[in-house]
Amino acid sequence: AQTVTQSQPEMSVQEAETVTLSCTYDTSESDYYLFWYKQPPSRQMILVIRQEAYKQQNATENRFSVNFQKAAKSFSLKISDSQLGDAAMYFCAYRSGYWETSGSRLTFGEGTQLTVNP
Amino acid sequence: SQTIHQWPATLVQPVGSPLSLECTVEGTSNPNLYWYRQAAGRGLQLLFYSVGIGQISSEVPQNLSASRPQDRQFILSSKKLLLSDSGFYLCAWNWGRGVNIQYFGAGTRLSVL
């Protein structure tokens, strides 16, 4: 079974600074997808960014980018120019690319609570 | 556009009472549907998923059950709630077998007292 580990329960960053959230995963599969979701105090789950394992290029969405290290099974999220609205719980998630055995279900890490200080 | 509705938003139930949480998706057909539970300050745990009407897969043995009576309706139920059933329940959907993203409902906060 796949596992996702987020080793930083809490992180803080000053407004306008850059912060990196760590995520590692364990899998024997070669085809999979990785995601970062954000959960603000409203508890609505919002997709931040996604990465297909077969793509070597790191995904980028505006101020959010990932550092995907497939061999190391690492998938960190970098938030640049942090804003107060970035304060939330961030979850790393794994999805198998093998529909027949896993469907499209997500395996989540335990989350990192990000605080943004003004 | 597609939307997902989940209700109620908050529910307080006594131990031993029944439960019914409902989730519906609009704007798509034959979605994959999911029920997750989130304990306070923790990650999400998949409870059930469904790839079609009447097709339910259970991930974790528990006091809960799920049903999909219509294509875009997913119901989470219990005959008798336990204290340990308290938590935040999220419904999600996606479509197809590709990289399609899972979209989440607003969630239901369940307190069993």
Side-chain angles (χ1 to χ4, degrees):
Chain A
Q2 295 81 26
T3 59
V4 177
T5 302
Q6 294 179 249
S7 59
Q8 307 154 314
E10 298 177 353
M11 291 282 285
S12 63
V13 64
Q14 291 295 125
E15 195 174 4
E17 298 289 305
T18 295
V19 64
T20 298
L21 308 184
S22 300
C23 172
T24 59
Y25 57 94
D26 187 26
T27 184
S28 59
E29 298 176 334
S30 58
D31 184 18
Y32 53 88
Y33 307 93
L34 297 165
F35 305 84
W36 279 99
Y37 277 86
K38 165 184 176 180
Q39 188 179 42
S42 67
R43 303 196 77 172
Q44 175 74 53
M45 292 289 285
I46 302 167
L47 178 72
V48 175
I49 200 166
R50 71 186 189 198
Q51 175 82 41
E52 292 90 335
Y54 64 84
K55 290 187 177 179
Q56 294 187 351
Q57 185 173 5
N58 290 324
T60 299
E61 288 287 342
N62 300 314
R63 298 182 294 106
F64 298 88
S65 62
V66 299
N67 183 5
F68 174 48
Q69 301 289 327
K70 190 172 184 179
K73 296 179 182 176
S74 171
F75 183 60
S76 61
L77 174 69
K78 185 171 81 172
I79 306 174
S80 304
D81 186 24
S82 297
Q83 301 175 0
L84 295 177
D86 295 332
M89 181 75 89
Y90 286 81
F91 291 99
C92 179
Y94 172 101
R95 210 200 87 201
S96 171
Y98 299 94
W99 169 266
E100 290 75 15
T101 55
S102 301
S104 288
R105 62 179 179 269
L106 295 171
T107 300
F108 285 88
E110 289 296 304
T112 296
Q113 182 66 51
L114 178 66
T115 301
V116 181
N117 300 309
Chain B
S1 64
Q2 301 85 14
T3 56
I4 179 169
H5 301 281
Q6 190 179 339
W7 68 91
T10 305
L11 191 59
V12 180
Q13 292 286 97
V15 170
S17 64
L19 173 73
S20 180
L21 303 181
E22 188 163 343
C23 171
T24 60
V25 180
E26 296 179 355
T28 187
S29 60
N30 197 30
N32 305 315
L33 296 169
Y34 308 84
W35 277 112
Y36 292 89
R37 178 168 58 199
Q38 183 180 26
R42 303 293 299 277
L44 279 68
Q45 180 187 40
L46 179 66
L47 302 176
F48 302 95
Y49 71 96
S50 172
V51 300
I53 296 176
Q55 300 179 61
I56 309 293
S57 296
S58 174
E59 291 294 301
V60 181
Q62 59 204 310
N63 185 42
L64 302 170
S65 62
S67 62
R68 184 169 177 174
Q70 300 180 41
D71 181 44
R72 292 170 290 174
Q73 184 184 32
F74 204 24
I75 297 172
L76 184 68
S77 303
S78 174
K79 292 182 179 178
K80 290 185 177 181
L81 283 169
L82 306 173
L83 288 174
S84 58
D85 292 324
S86 293
F88 190 64
Y89 290 83
L90 285 154
C91 181
W93 78 275
N94 68 354
W95 189 89
R97 300 186 175 194
V99 74
N100 294 304
I101 300 159
Q102 279 193 26
Y103 296 96
F104 288 80
T108 296
R109 185 185 306 274
L110 172 65
S111 298
V112 182
L113 305 176

